Amino acid sequence: MAKTTYRMCGGLAIMPGHDMAMLKRMSAKGWHVRGINRALLYRFEQGEPHDYDYAVDFQRDFSEEARELYGLGGWEPVVLGSGWQIVRAEAGTTPLYTDDDAEAETLRESRKGLGVRALLCAVAAALLFVLQARLSAQGNEPASWACLAACVALASGFVLSLFPFVGYTRSLRKIHAEQEADPRR
């Protein structure tokens, strides 16, 4: 049975470069990423040290055709999630995205709807919080607790929508700034 270890995910949408550099360092030490769990921990299995480059892609539909294209470019999927994939290739392989516009379009598609979802969750949580306070003041404790539980669930939805939205927005701004600095990109 292979030895395993775990490392915390920094947030694929928020700090993709940081996470991919960490995966590269781990592979150089002989620990290769094999998955990510619900607690946002990368699972690594021990093997031979290898110099891999890693990249994350935020395609929603990772079809068989997309896998073939990645393979032709030297990239293989190692961890697949809902709306994202971590891929790896031999160090020095042509980057996953050589065109900033294609990368920006993928990020825009991933970001679509997250801002609206975060706003709706925040407004609904605030309204439920007001309702909860009113029910509590009236002495209706069961309904008050139910509203509070729903408020917490919506607040979680807000956080889980806002962080990726902010991360994608930061990445898009970085691409835009790089294009302005070097218009040939």
Side-chain angles (χ1 to χ4, degrees):
M1 187 158 156
K3 291 184 180 179
T4 60
T5 190
Y6 296 87
R7 295 284 185 274
M8 181 63 93
C9 175
L12 290 174
I14 298 170
M15 302 185 328
H18 173 270
D19 277 22
M20 298 306 106
M22 184 265 297
L23 297 179
K24 181 176 178 71
R25 286 190 308 274
M26 292 293 287
S27 281
K29 295 176 185 176
W31 292 97
H32 307 289
V33 67
R34 296 292 185 239
I36 188 168
N37 65 20
R38 294 186 195 274
L40 297 179
L41 295 172
Y42 288 111
R43 181 176 49 86
F44 295 89
E45 289 182 3
Q46 193 171 29
E48 292 296 317
H50 199 91
D51 191 14
Y52 285 122
D53 285 338
Y54 286 87
V56 64
D57 189 29
F58 296 102
Q59 288 189 37
R60 292 189 184 275
D61 179 27
F62 196 62
S63 64
E64 195 58 42
E65 181 182 329
R67 286 178 195 246
E68 287 178 30
L69 288 173
Y70 278 59
L72 291 172
W75 293 90
E76 66 173 314
V78 289
V79 182
L80 301 176
S82 177
W84 56 268
Q85 306 79 38
I86 296 175
V87 294
R88 76 173 172 209
E90 294 292 329
T93 300
T94 301
L96 193 59
Y97 284 102
T98 57
D99 178 11
D100 286 340
D101 291 334
E103 183 177 11
E105 181 59 33
T106 300
L107 290 168
R108 275 192 287 278
E109 279 299 313
S110 296
R111 187 180 74 159
K112 190 185 300 184
L114 285 172
V116 172
R117 193 174 315 145
L119 181 63
L120 289 174
C121 284
V123 169
L127 291 173
L128 277 173
F129 188 72
V130 169
L131 179 61
Q132 182 272 334
R134 191 170 197 156
L135 291 170
S136 181
Q138 293 173 353
N140 189 345
E141 291 302 313
S144 172
W145 281 104
C147 281
L148 189 58
C151 183
V152 168
L154 286 166
S156 298
F158 167 75
V159 169
L160 293 174
S161 297
L162 182 66
F163 283 165
F165 178 82
V166 170
Y168 295 147
T169 301
R170 285 180 58 203
S171 294
L172 284 167
R173 285 184 180 161
K174 181 180 174 191
I175 290 170
H176 183 70
E178 289 171 353
Q179 286 176 329
E180 283 185 352
D182 182 5
R184 295 173 292 171
R185 285 181 65 101

Short mmCIF file of all heavy atoms in Angstrom, two decimals, residues 38-98:
data_model
loop_
_atom_site.label_atom_id
_atom_site.label_comp_id
_atom_site.label_asym_id
_atom_site.label_seq_id
_atom_site.Cartn_x
_atom_site.Cartn_y
_atom_site.Cartn_z
N ARG A 38 -13.13 16.67 0.39
CA ARG A 38 -14.11 17.72 0.71
C ARG A 38 -13.59 18.73 1.73
O ARG A 38 -14.11 19.83 1.82
CB ARG A 38 -15.41 17.10 1.21
CG ARG A 38 -16.12 16.30 0.14
CD ARG A 38 -17.48 15.83 0.67
NE ARG A 38 -18.04 14.80 -0.16
CZ ARG A 38 -18.77 15.02 -1.23
NH1 ARG A 38 -19.01 16.23 -1.62
NH2 ARG A 38 -19.26 14.01 -1.92
N ALA A 39 -12.59 18.34 2.48
CA ALA A 39 -11.99 19.26 3.46
C ALA A 39 -10.92 20.14 2.81
O ALA A 39 -10.19 20.84 3.50
CB ALA A 39 -11.38 18.47 4.62
N LEU A 40 -10.84 20.10 1.48
CA LEU A 40 -9.88 20.86 0.70
C LEU A 40 -8.43 20.52 1.05
O LEU A 40 -7.57 21.39 1.18
CB LEU A 40 -10.13 22.37 0.83
CG LEU A 40 -11.48 22.84 0.30
CD1 LEU A 40 -11.65 24.33 0.51
CD2 LEU A 40 -11.64 22.50 -1.17
N LEU A 41 -8.20 19.23 1.19
CA LEU A 41 -6.85 18.72 1.41
C LEU A 41 -6.42 17.93 0.18
O LEU A 41 -7.14 17.04 -0.29
CB LEU A 41 -6.80 17.80 2.63
CG LEU A 41 -7.09 18.43 3.98
CD1 LEU A 41 -7.18 17.35 5.05
CD2 LEU A 41 -6.02 19.45 4.34
N TYR A 42 -5.24 18.27 -0.35
CA TYR A 42 -4.67 17.47 -1.42
C TYR A 42 -4.19 16.16 -0.83
O TYR A 42 -3.60 16.13 0.25
CB TYR A 42 -3.46 18.17 -2.04
CG TYR A 42 -3.79 19.38 -2.87
CD1 TYR A 42 -3.44 20.66 -2.44
CD2 TYR A 42 -4.41 19.26 -4.10
CE1 TYR A 42 -3.70 21.77 -3.21
CE2 TYR A 42 -4.69 20.37 -4.88
CZ TYR A 42 -4.33 21.61 -4.42
OH TYR A 42 -4.60 22.71 -5.19
N ARG A 43 -4.41 15.06 -1.55
CA ARG A 43 -3.90 13.75 -1.13
C ARG A 43 -2.74 13.41 -2.05
O ARG A 43 -2.86 13.41 -3.27
CB ARG A 43 -4.97 12.67 -1.23
CG ARG A 43 -4.48 11.29 -0.78
CD ARG A 43 -5.58 10.25 -0.80
NE ARG A 43 -6.35 10.20 -2.03
CZ ARG A 43 -6.00 9.50 -3.11
NH1 ARG A 43 -4.91 8.78 -3.11
NH2 ARG A 43 -6.78 9.50 -4.18
N PHE A 44 -1.59 13.11 -1.45
CA PHE A 44 -0.39 12.76 -2.18
C PHE A 44 -0.01 11.32 -1.89
O PHE A 44 -0.15 10.86 -0.76
CB PHE A 44 0.78 13.66 -1.76
CG PHE A 44 0.60 15.11 -2.09
CD1 PHE A 44 -0.02 15.96 -1.20
CD2 PHE A 44 1.05 15.62 -3.30
CE1 PHE A 44 -0.19 17.30 -1.50
CE2 PHE A 44 0.89 16.95 -3.61
CZ PHE A 44 0.27 17.80 -2.71
N GLU A 45 0.50 10.64 -2.91
CA GLU A 45 1.04 9.30 -2.74
C GLU A 45 2.53 9.37 -3.04
O GLU A 45 2.96 10.08 -3.95
CB GLU A 45 0.36 8.30 -3.67
CG GLU A 45 -1.07 8.01 -3.26
CD GLU A 45 -1.74 6.98 -4.16
OE1 GLU A 45 -1.09 6.44 -5.08
OE2 GLU A 45 -2.93 6.74 -3.93
N GLN A 46 3.29 8.60 -2.27
CA GLN A 46 4.73 8.61 -2.43
C GLN A 46 5.14 7.80 -3.65
O GLN A 46 4.56 6.74 -3.94
CB GLN A 46 5.41 8.06 -1.19
CG GLN A 46 6.90 8.32 -1.17
CD GLN A 46 7.52 7.96 0.16
OE1 GLN A 46 7.04 7.08 0.86
NE2 GLN A 46 8.58 8.67 0.51
N GLY A 47 6.10 8.31 -4.38
CA GLY A 47 6.64 7.63 -5.57
C GLY A 47 8.05 8.14 -5.82
O GLY A 47 8.69 8.71 -4.93
N GLU A 48 8.49 7.97 -7.02
CA GLU A 48 9.82 8.45 -7.41
C GLU A 48 9.76 9.97 -7.61
O GLU A 48 8.80 10.48 -8.20
CB GLU A 48 10.28 7.78 -8.70
CG GLU A 48 10.57 6.31 -8.56
CD GLU A 48 11.72 6.02 -7.62
OE1 GLU A 48 12.75 6.74 -7.69
OE2 GLU A 48 11.57 5.09 -6.80
N PRO A 49 10.79 10.70 -7.17
CA PRO A 49 10.82 12.14 -7.45
C PRO A 49 10.79 12.39 -8.96
O PRO A 49 11.39 11.63 -9.74
CB PRO A 49 12.16 12.59 -6.86
CG PRO A 49 12.47 11.57 -5.80
CD PRO A 49 11.92 10.27 -6.34
N HIS A 50 10.05 13.40 -9.36
CA HIS A 50 9.91 13.71 -10.78
C HIS A 50 9.67 15.21 -10.94
O HIS A 50 9.01 15.83 -10.11
CB HIS A 50 8.74 12.93 -11.38
CG HIS A 50 8.81 12.83 -12.86
ND1 HIS A 50 9.42 11.79 -13.51
CD2 HIS A 50 8.36 13.66 -13.83
CE1 HIS A 50 9.34 11.97 -14.81
NE2 HIS A 50 8.70 13.10 -15.04
N ASP A 51 10.18 15.77 -12.03
CA ASP A 51 10.02 17.19 -12.30
C ASP A 51 8.82 17.39 -13.23
O ASP A 51 8.94 17.26 -14.44
CB ASP A 51 11.30 17.74 -12.93
CG ASP A 51 11.31 19.26 -12.99
OD1 ASP A 51 10.47 19.90 -12.32
OD2 ASP A 51 12.16 19.82 -13.71
N TYR A 52 7.68 17.68 -12.63
CA TYR A 52 6.45 17.94 -13.38
C TYR A 52 6.08 19.41 -13.28
O TYR A 52 6.36 20.07 -12.28
CB TYR A 52 5.27 17.15 -12.79
CG TYR A 52 5.25 15.68 -13.07
CD1 TYR A 52 5.24 14.77 -12.02
CD2 TYR A 52 5.18 15.19 -14.37
CE1 TYR A 52 5.18 13.40 -12.26
CE2 TYR A 52 5.13 13.82 -14.61
CZ TYR A 52 5.12 12.94 -13.56
OH TYR A 52 5.07 11.59 -13.80
N ASP A 53 5.43 19.92 -14.30
CA ASP A 53 4.74 21.20 -14.24
C ASP A 53 3.27 20.89 -14.03
O ASP A 53 2.75 19.91 -14.58
CB ASP A 53 4.90 22.00 -15.53
CG ASP A 53 6.29 22.61 -15.68
OD1 ASP A 53 6.96 22.80 -14.65
OD2 ASP A 53 6.69 22.90 -16.82
N TYR A 54 2.59 21.70 -13.25
CA TYR A 54 1.16 21.53 -12.99
C TYR A 54 0.41 22.77 -13.45
O TYR A 54 0.95 23.88 -13.45
CB TYR A 54 0.90 21.31 -11.49
CG TYR A 54 1.30 19.94 -11.01
CD1 TYR A 54 2.59 19.68 -10.58
CD2 TYR A 54 0.38 18.90 -10.98
CE1 TYR A 54 2.97 18.43 -10.15
CE2 TYR A 54 0.74 17.65 -10.53
CZ TYR A 54 2.04 17.41 -10.11
OH TYR A 54 2.40 16.17 -9.68
N ALA A 55 -0.84 22.58 -13.82
CA ALA A 55 -1.71 23.70 -14.20
C ALA A 55 -3.12 23.35 -13.79
O ALA A 55 -3.49 22.18 -13.70
CB ALA A 55 -1.64 23.95 -15.70
N VAL A 56 -3.90 24.38 -13.54
CA VAL A 56 -5.33 24.18 -13.26
C VAL A 56 -6.10 24.82 -14.40
O VAL A 56 -5.72 25.87 -14.92
CB VAL A 56 -5.75 24.77 -11.89
CG1 VAL A 56 -5.58 26.27 -11.84
CG2 VAL A 56 -7.17 24.39 -11.54
N ASP A 57 -7.15 24.14 -14.82
CA ASP A 57 -8.00 24.67 -15.87
C ASP A 57 -9.43 24.67 -15.34
O ASP A 57 -9.83 23.75 -14.63
CB ASP A 57 -7.88 23.81 -17.13
CG ASP A 57 -8.58 24.45 -18.31
OD1 ASP A 57 -8.67 25.68 -18.36
OD2 ASP A 57 -9.04 23.70 -19.19
N PHE A 58 -10.18 25.68 -15.70
CA PHE A 58 -11.53 25.83 -15.16
C PHE A 58 -12.61 25.57 -16.20
O PHE A 58 -13.65 26.21 -16.20
CB PHE A 58 -11.68 27.22 -14.55
CG PHE A 58 -10.79 27.45 -13.38
CD1 PHE A 58 -9.63 28.19 -13.50
CD2 PHE A 58 -11.09 26.89 -12.16
CE1 PHE A 58 -8.79 28.38 -12.42
CE2 PHE A 58 -10.26 27.07 -11.07
CZ PHE A 58 -9.10 27.82 -11.20
N GLN A 59 -12.39 24.62 -17.09
CA GLN A 59 -13.43 24.24 -18.04
C GLN A 59 -14.54 23.51 -17.30
O GLN A 59 -14.28 22.61 -16.51
CB GLN A 59 -12.86 23.32 -19.12
CG GLN A 59 -11.97 24.02 -20.09
CD GLN A 59 -11.62 23.11 -21.25
OE1 GLN A 59 -12.44 22.33 -21.70
NE2 GLN A 59 -10.40 23.24 -21.72
N ARG A 60 -15.76 23.88 -17.58
CA ARG A 60 -16.89 23.21 -16.93
C ARG A 60 -17.12 21.82 -17.49
O ARG A 60 -17.47 20.90 -16.79
CB ARG A 60 -18.16 24.05 -17.10
CG ARG A 60 -18.11 25.34 -16.34
CD ARG A 60 -19.47 26.00 -16.36
NE ARG A 60 -19.42 27.28 -15.71
CZ ARG A 60 -19.55 27.46 -14.40
NH1 ARG A 60 -19.72 26.44 -13.63
NH2 ARG A 60 -19.50 28.66 -13.88
N ASP A 61 -16.92 21.67 -18.79
CA ASP A 61 -17.16 20.38 -19.44
C ASP A 61 -15.82 19.82 -19.91
O ASP A 61 -15.28 20.27 -20.91
CB ASP A 61 -18.11 20.55 -20.63
CG ASP A 61 -18.37 19.24 -21.34
OD1 ASP A 61 -18.27 18.18 -20.70
OD2 ASP A 61 -18.66 19.28 -22.54
N PHE A 62 -15.30 18.87 -19.17
CA PHE A 62 -14.01 18.26 -19.52
C PHE A 62 -14.30 16.97 -20.28
O PHE A 62 -14.24 15.88 -19.75
CB PHE A 62 -13.20 18.01 -18.25
CG PHE A 62 -11.75 17.75 -18.51
CD1 PHE A 62 -10.95 18.72 -19.11
CD2 PHE A 62 -11.17 16.55 -18.16
CE1 PHE A 62 -9.61 18.48 -19.36
CE2 PHE A 62 -9.82 16.31 -18.40
CZ PHE A 62 -9.05 17.28 -19.00
N SER A 63 -14.61 17.14 -21.55
CA SER A 63 -15.04 16.03 -22.40
C SER A 63 -13.86 15.15 -22.80
O SER A 63 -12.70 15.49 -22.58
CB SER A 63 -15.72 16.58 -23.64
OG SER A 63 -14.77 17.31 -24.42
N GLU A 64 -14.17 14.05 -23.44
CA GLU A 64 -13.13 13.15 -23.95
C GLU A 64 -12.29 13.87 -25.01
O GLU A 64 -11.09 13.68 -25.09
CB GLU A 64 -13.79 11.89 -24.54
CG GLU A 64 -12.81 10.76 -24.77
CD GLU A 64 -12.08 10.33 -23.51
OE1 GLU A 64 -12.70 10.23 -22.44
OE2 GLU A 64 -10.85 10.10 -23.60
N GLU A 65 -12.93 14.74 -25.79
CA GLU A 65 -12.21 15.52 -26.80
C GLU A 65 -11.20 16.45 -26.13
O GLU A 65 -10.06 16.60 -26.59
CB GLU A 65 -13.20 16.33 -27.63
CG GLU A 65 -12.54 17.16 -28.71
CD GLU A 65 -13.55 17.99 -29.50
OE1 GLU A 65 -14.70 17.55 -29.66
OE2 GLU A 65 -13.17 19.07 -29.96
N ALA A 66 -11.61 17.09 -25.03
CA ALA A 66 -10.70 17.97 -24.29
C ALA A 66 -9.52 17.17 -23.74
O ALA A 66 -8.37 17.62 -23.80
CB ALA A 66 -11.44 18.68 -23.17
N ARG A 67 -9.80 15.99 -23.22
CA ARG A 67 -8.71 15.14 -22.71
C ARG A 67 -7.71 14.81 -23.81
O ARG A 67 -6.50 14.81 -23.58
CB ARG A 67 -9.28 13.83 -22.15
CG ARG A 67 -9.96 13.98 -20.84
CD ARG A 67 -10.52 12.61 -20.43
NE ARG A 67 -11.47 12.73 -19.38
CZ ARG A 67 -11.28 12.24 -18.16
NH1 ARG A 67 -10.19 11.58 -17.87
NH2 ARG A 67 -12.19 12.40 -17.23
N GLU A 68 -8.22 14.50 -25.01
CA GLU A 68 -7.34 14.18 -26.13
C GLU A 68 -6.47 15.38 -26.51
O GLU A 68 -5.27 15.22 -26.77
CB GLU A 68 -8.16 13.73 -27.34
CG GLU A 68 -8.76 12.35 -27.19
CD GLU A 68 -9.60 11.95 -28.39
OE1 GLU A 68 -9.31 12.42 -29.52
OE2 GLU A 68 -10.55 11.16 -28.19
N LEU A 69 -7.07 16.58 -26.53
CA LEU A 69 -6.29 17.79 -26.85
C LEU A 69 -5.21 18.03 -25.81
O LEU A 69 -4.09 18.39 -26.14
CB LEU A 69 -7.22 19.00 -26.96
CG LEU A 69 -8.11 19.04 -28.19
CD1 LEU A 69 -9.10 20.19 -28.10
CD2 LEU A 69 -7.27 19.16 -29.45
N TYR A 70 -5.56 17.85 -24.54
CA TYR A 70 -4.56 18.01 -23.48
C TYR A 70 -3.43 17.01 -23.69
O TYR A 70 -2.26 17.35 -23.56
CB TYR A 70 -5.19 17.78 -22.11
CG TYR A 70 -5.93 18.96 -21.56
CD1 TYR A 70 -6.99 19.52 -22.24
CD2 TYR A 70 -5.59 19.51 -20.34
CE1 TYR A 70 -7.69 20.59 -21.73
CE2 TYR A 70 -6.28 20.59 -19.83
CZ TYR A 70 -7.32 21.13 -20.53
OH TYR A 70 -7.99 22.20 -20.03
N GLY A 71 -3.81 15.76 -24.00
CA GLY A 71 -2.81 14.71 -24.21
C GLY A 71 -1.88 15.04 -25.36
O GLY A 71 -0.66 14.80 -25.27
N LEU A 72 -2.41 15.58 -26.45
CA LEU A 72 -1.57 15.96 -27.58
C LEU A 72 -0.56 17.03 -27.19
O LEU A 72 0.54 17.08 -27.75
CB LEU A 72 -2.44 16.45 -28.74
CG LEU A 72 -3.29 15.38 -29.44
CD1 LEU A 72 -4.24 16.03 -30.44
CD2 LEU A 72 -2.40 14.35 -30.11
N GLY A 73 -0.94 17.89 -26.25
CA GLY A 73 -0.04 18.93 -25.77
C GLY A 73 0.91 18.46 -24.68
O GLY A 73 1.74 19.22 -24.19
N GLY A 74 0.78 17.19 -24.29
CA GLY A 74 1.67 16.65 -23.26
C GLY A 74 1.11 16.72 -21.86
O GLY A 74 1.80 16.38 -20.89
N TRP A 75 -0.13 17.15 -21.71
CA TRP A 75 -0.74 17.31 -20.39
C TRP A 75 -1.66 16.14 -20.10
O TRP A 75 -2.42 15.71 -20.96
CB TRP A 75 -1.54 18.61 -20.34
CG TRP A 75 -0.66 19.81 -20.43
CD1 TRP A 75 -0.29 20.46 -21.57
CD2 TRP A 75 -0.02 20.48 -19.35
NE1 TRP A 75 0.54 21.50 -21.26
CE2 TRP A 75 0.73 21.54 -19.90
CE3 TRP A 75 0.00 20.29 -17.98
CZ2 TRP A 75 1.48 22.41 -19.12
CZ3 TRP A 75 0.75 21.15 -17.19
CH2 TRP A 75 1.48 22.19 -17.77
N GLU A 76 -1.62 15.65 -18.86
CA GLU A 76 -2.51 14.57 -18.44
C GLU A 76 -3.30 15.02 -17.21
O GLU A 76 -2.75 15.67 -16.31
CB GLU A 76 -1.72 13.30 -18.11
CG GLU A 76 -0.81 13.46 -16.90
CD GLU A 76 -0.15 12.16 -16.48
OE1 GLU A 76 -0.85 11.14 -16.39
OE2 GLU A 76 1.06 12.20 -16.23
N PRO A 77 -4.59 14.73 -17.17
CA PRO A 77 -5.37 15.09 -15.99
C PRO A 77 -4.98 14.21 -14.80
O PRO A 77 -4.78 13.01 -14.95
CB PRO A 77 -6.81 14.83 -16.41
CG PRO A 77 -6.72 13.92 -17.59
CD PRO A 77 -5.39 14.10 -18.20
N VAL A 78 -4.82 14.85 -13.63
CA VAL A 78 -4.49 14.07 -12.43
C VAL A 78 -5.57 14.20 -11.35
O VAL A 78 -5.73 13.30 -10.54
CB VAL A 78 -3.10 14.44 -11.85
CG1 VAL A 78 -2.00 13.92 -12.75
CG2 VAL A 78 -2.94 15.91 -11.63
N VAL A 79 -6.28 15.32 -11.33
CA VAL A 79 -7.39 15.51 -10.39
C VAL A 79 -8.50 16.23 -11.13
O VAL A 79 -8.28 17.30 -11.69
CB VAL A 79 -6.97 16.33 -9.14
CG1 VAL A 79 -8.13 16.46 -8.17
CG2 VAL A 79 -5.76 15.73 -8.45
N LEU A 80 -9.68 15.63 -11.14
CA LEU A 80 -10.82 16.24 -11.82
C LEU A 80 -11.87 16.63 -10.79
O LEU A 80 -12.23 15.85 -9.93
CB LEU A 80 -11.43 15.25 -12.81
CG LEU A 80 -10.49 14.74 -13.90
CD1 LEU A 80 -11.19 13.69 -14.75
CD2 LEU A 80 -10.00 15.88 -14.76
N GLY A 81 -12.34 17.86 -10.89
CA GLY A 81 -13.40 18.33 -10.01
C GLY A 81 -14.56 18.84 -10.84
O GLY A 81 -14.56 18.76 -12.07
N SER A 82 -15.53 19.38 -10.16
CA SER A 82 -16.70 19.94 -10.84
C SER A 82 -16.36 21.35 -11.33
O SER A 82 -16.31 22.29 -10.56
CB SER A 82 -17.87 19.98 -9.86
OG SER A 82 -18.97 20.58 -10.48
N GLY A 83 -16.08 21.48 -12.62
CA GLY A 83 -15.75 22.79 -13.18
C GLY A 83 -14.29 23.14 -13.12
O GLY A 83 -13.91 24.27 -13.40
N TRP A 84 -13.42 22.20 -12.75
CA TRP A 84 -11.97 22.45 -12.74
C TRP A 84 -11.22 21.13 -12.88
O TRP A 84 -11.75 20.07 -12.56
CB TRP A 84 -11.53 23.17 -11.46
CG TRP A 84 -11.91 22.45 -10.21
CD1 TRP A 84 -13.05 22.63 -9.47
CD2 TRP A 84 -11.17 21.41 -9.55
NE1 TRP A 84 -13.06 21.76 -8.41
CE2 TRP A 84 -11.91 21.01 -8.43
CE3 TRP A 84 -9.96 20.77 -9.80
CZ2 TRP A 84 -11.48 19.99 -7.56
CZ3 TRP A 84 -9.54 19.76 -8.93
CH2 TRP A 84 -10.30 19.40 -7.83
N GLN A 85 -9.99 21.24 -13.37
CA GLN A 85 -9.13 20.09 -13.54
C GLN A 85 -7.70 20.50 -13.21
O GLN A 85 -7.28 21.59 -13.59
CB GLN A 85 -9.12 19.56 -14.98
CG GLN A 85 -10.47 19.24 -15.56
CD GLN A 85 -11.22 20.46 -16.04
OE1 GLN A 85 -10.66 21.38 -16.59
NE2 GLN A 85 -12.52 20.49 -15.80
N ILE A 86 -6.99 19.64 -12.54
CA ILE A 86 -5.55 19.83 -12.35
C ILE A 86 -4.87 18.86 -13.31
O ILE A 86 -5.18 17.67 -13.32
CB ILE A 86 -5.11 19.57 -10.90
CG1 ILE A 86 -5.77 20.58 -9.96
CG2 ILE A 86 -3.59 19.63 -10.78
CD1 ILE A 86 -5.51 20.32 -8.49
N VAL A 87 -3.98 19.40 -14.12
CA VAL A 87 -3.27 18.60 -15.10
C VAL A 87 -1.77 18.76 -14.87
O VAL A 87 -1.32 19.73 -14.26
CB VAL A 87 -3.65 19.00 -16.55
CG1 VAL A 87 -5.11 18.69 -16.84
CG2 VAL A 87 -3.38 20.48 -16.79
N ARG A 88 -1.01 17.77 -15.37
CA ARG A 88 0.44 17.87 -15.23
C ARG A 88 1.11 17.42 -16.52
O ARG A 88 0.52 16.69 -17.32
CB ARG A 88 0.94 17.08 -14.05
CG ARG A 88 0.98 15.60 -14.26
CD ARG A 88 1.64 14.90 -13.10
NE ARG A 88 1.48 13.47 -13.29
CZ ARG A 88 1.43 12.60 -12.30
NH1 ARG A 88 1.54 13.01 -11.06
NH2 ARG A 88 1.31 11.32 -12.56
N ALA A 89 2.36 17.87 -16.67
CA ALA A 89 3.16 17.52 -17.83
C ALA A 89 4.62 17.54 -17.41
O ALA A 89 4.97 18.06 -16.33
CB ALA A 89 2.94 18.52 -18.96
N GLU A 90 5.46 16.99 -18.26
CA GLU A 90 6.90 17.06 -18.01
C GLU A 90 7.30 18.53 -17.90
O GLU A 90 6.76 19.38 -18.62
CB GLU A 90 7.68 16.39 -19.14
CG GLU A 90 7.46 14.90 -19.26
CD GLU A 90 8.03 14.12 -18.08
OE1 GLU A 90 9.05 14.55 -17.49
OE2 GLU A 90 7.44 13.08 -17.74
N ALA A 91 8.24 18.82 -17.02
CA ALA A 91 8.71 20.20 -16.86
C ALA A 91 9.20 20.74 -18.21
O ALA A 91 9.85 20.03 -18.97
CB ALA A 91 9.83 20.25 -15.84
N GLY A 92 8.82 21.97 -18.50
CA GLY A 92 9.23 22.61 -19.74
C GLY A 92 8.25 22.42 -20.89
O GLY A 92 8.46 22.97 -21.97
N THR A 93 7.18 21.66 -20.69
CA THR A 93 6.17 21.47 -21.72
C THR A 93 5.53 22.82 -22.03
O THR A 93 5.40 23.68 -21.15
CB THR A 93 5.10 20.46 -21.25
OG1 THR A 93 5.74 19.22 -20.97
CG2 THR A 93 4.01 20.26 -22.28
N THR A 94 5.09 23.00 -23.26
CA THR A 94 4.40 24.24 -23.64
C THR A 94 3.26 24.48 -22.65
O THR A 94 2.51 23.55 -22.34
CB THR A 94 3.83 24.11 -25.07
OG1 THR A 94 4.91 23.85 -25.97
CG2 THR A 94 3.11 25.38 -25.48
N PRO A 95 3.13 25.71 -22.14
CA PRO A 95 2.07 25.98 -21.16
C PRO A 95 0.68 25.60 -21.66
O PRO A 95 0.43 25.57 -22.88
CB PRO A 95 2.16 27.50 -20.94
CG PRO A 95 3.55 27.85 -21.35
CD PRO A 95 3.92 26.89 -22.44
N LEU A 96 -0.20 25.33 -20.72
CA LEU A 96 -1.56 24.93 -21.04
C LEU A 96 -2.24 25.99 -21.91
O LEU A 96 -2.91 25.68 -22.88
CB LEU A 96 -2.34 24.71 -19.74
CG LEU A 96 -3.66 24.00 -19.82
CD1 LEU A 96 -3.50 22.62 -20.43
CD2 LEU A 96 -4.26 23.88 -18.44
N TYR A 97 -2.07 27.25 -21.54
CA TYR A 97 -2.62 28.36 -22.31
C TYR A 97 -1.47 29.17 -22.88
O TYR A 97 -0.66 29.71 -22.14
CB TYR A 97 -3.50 29.27 -21.45
CG TYR A 97 -4.85 28.69 -21.13
CD1 TYR A 97 -5.11 28.13 -19.89
CD2 TYR A 97 -5.86 28.70 -22.08
CE1 TYR A 97 -6.36 27.59 -19.60
CE2 TYR A 97 -7.11 28.17 -21.79
CZ TYR A 97 -7.34 27.62 -20.56
OH TYR A 97 -8.57 27.10 -20.28
N THR A 98 -1.42 29.27 -24.18
CA THR A 98 -0.44 30.14 -24.83
C THR A 98 -1.10 31.42 -25.31
O THR A 98 -0.45 32.32 -25.78
CB THR A 98 0.24 29.42 -26.01
OG1 THR A 98 -0.77 29.00 -26.92
CG2 THR A 98 1.05 28.23 -25.54
#
